[in-house]
Amino acid sequence: GQNIDQPTEMTATEGAIVQINCTYQTSGFNGLFWYQQHAGEAPTFLSYNVLDGLEEKGRFSSFLSRSKGYSYLLLKELQMKDSASYLCAVRTLFSGGYNKLIFGAGTRLAVHP
Amino acid sequence: AAGVIQSPRHLIKEKRETATLKCYPIPRHDTVYWYQQGPGQDPQFLISFYEKMQSDKGSIPDRFSAQQFSDYHSELNMSSLELGDSALYFCASGGYNEQFFGPGTRLTVL
């Protein structure tokens, strides 16, 4: 079966660093995406990892270890506007060669002054 | 930069009515995805199209159907609407290493 786990909620202080973990158990792994979603809005694409290692994009970095079925999203220099849900999504490859995203339940991050 | 366009943004229907949601993907993106997101839930994959052919099907009810047209826009058709169909419906488009979501259509079934 397919299973993606993330912490439900996290809190952090403005200016700090926070790491949001994601573990997954899926068949046909074909990449992992991180999205930010504010309530009632569309998910915003943050990062994509398919190979092991760290991808850095400004204040956001994402890490992947395929052997461990593990990823994390690192947010630096937190700002109040970073308060949102962060969704980990795994792309699975199906026999037809096409693929879909399976989302975790998301981690609600609250940034405090 | 162009984004994914969805219409309408809000839709209110009665039970047993029919609804059609439209999606215009980012130009040159070869894949379109439809997702349903209920209140407090994560997005659930419904169906996808690759180069106008249905490429994968998720937890889409038989009352729903979708297609992608020659101009690459896609429509999600929902019939015999039920109260439980009330949700945000997102369309996303992308290539291999990216997937961008549209603003969503909020469907309310009364």
Side-chain angles (χ1 to χ4, degrees), chain A residues 13 15 17 30 40-41 45 64 78 81 91 93 101 103 111:
Chain A
T13 305
I17 299 172
N30 193 30
E41 298 182 10
F45 171 75
L64 175 68
L78 281 172
K81 67 178 181 179
R91 182 166 61 191
L93 184 64
L101 289 187
F103 282 84
V111 180

Side-chain angles (χ1 to χ4, degrees), chain A residues 30-31 33 35 37 40-45 48 50 87 91 94 96 98-106 108, chain B residues 33 35 37 41-43 45 48 50 54-58 88 90 95-104 106:
Chain A
N30 193 30
F33 294 74
Y35 286 87
Q37 187 176 29
E41 298 182 10
T44 301
F45 171 75
Y48 169 77
V50 67
L87 304 171
R91 182 166 61 191
F94 284 79
Y98 308 123
N99 45 68
K100 68 179 186 183
L101 289 187
I102 300 172
F103 282 84
R108 280 192 305 277
Chain B
Y33 308 81
Y35 294 88
Q37 187 173 28
Q41 307 289 317
D42 53 285
F45 172 77
S48 64
Y50 172 73
Q54 182 183 308
S55 56
D56 194 23
K57 212 170 182 181
L88 263 171
F90 290 110
Y96 181 76
N97 60 351
E98 57 190 8
Q99 193 172 124
F100 296 96
F101 281 69
R106 183 174 294 282

Side-chain angles (χ1 to χ4, degrees), chain A residues 5-27:
Chain A
D5 287 314
Q6 305 178 234
T8 304
E9 293 182 344
M10 298 183 71
T11 59
T13 305
E14 195 175 15
I17 299 172
V18 70
Q19 177 174 314
I20 302 174
N21 296 323
C22 171
T23 58
Y24 62 89
Q25 294 167 325
T26 63
S27 55

